Amino acid sequence: MKKLFVALMAVLVLASCAEKEKSPADVMMMTVEVMNVAAEKLEAATTSDEVIAAITAMNDEMENLDEKYESMLEGYEDEEIIKMYPEAAEALNEAATNWAVVLIGKTQSIEFTPEQEQMIIELLGDGM
């Protein structure tokens, strides 16, 4: 009986640790979080290297999300996703707008070398 109880507890622990299946809205909200964190890092940046690091970190996080969840969104057009999950779509739009505003502000307030400017252009191209 003791072995059965231990086995049952192990199953319950594993079941409670299992990741809930994500919906497209969940993925959109994870993207919102990535963009909000990136905007915070950009706002805190005081050097060109910190700006580049923030953009790089965001790209890495977005790539991880894409690799993990891209198949979930296959077959959907953007308009369909927006209609299906309007709240998440609005939050994503707001996060993207905020990130862009912060990025523009930082690129105008911090000096970049031509090489750094090129790196930012490449990072933004990779992230889009």
Side-chain angles (χ1 to χ4, degrees), residues 3 6 9 15-17 49 53 55 65 76 87 90 93 96 102 105 122 124-126 128:
K3 287 182 182 180
V6 170
M9 288 301 293
S16 68
C17 293
D49 288 334
I55 296 169
L65 285 176
Y76 290 106
E87 295 86 12
E90 180 62 27
N93 185 47
V102 172
E122 289 172 10
L124 293 176
D126 289 343
M128 308 227 161

Side-chain angles (χ1 to χ4, degrees), residues 5 9 16 42 65 72-73:
F5 181 70
M9 288 301 293
S16 68
L42 276 174
L65 285 176
M72 179 183 299
L73 301 176

Side-chain angles (χ1 to χ4, degrees), residues 10-62:
V11 168
L12 290 174
V13 167
L14 289 174
S16 68
C17 293
E19 186 177 346
K20 176 189 137 207
E21 189 172 322
K22 303 288 187 223
S23 72
D26 294 328
V27 176
M28 292 167 75
M29 294 309 294
M30 288 187 286
T31 304
V32 166
E33 181 63 22
V34 167
M35 295 188 95
N36 287 338
V37 168
E40 289 172 12
K41 288 180 181 178
L42 276 174
E43 284 211 272
T46 58
T47 68
S48 55
D49 288 334
E50 290 173 347
V51 170
I52 291 169
I55 296 169
T56 301
M58 186 184 84
N59 281 0
D60 292 344
E61 289 293 321
M62 294 294 237

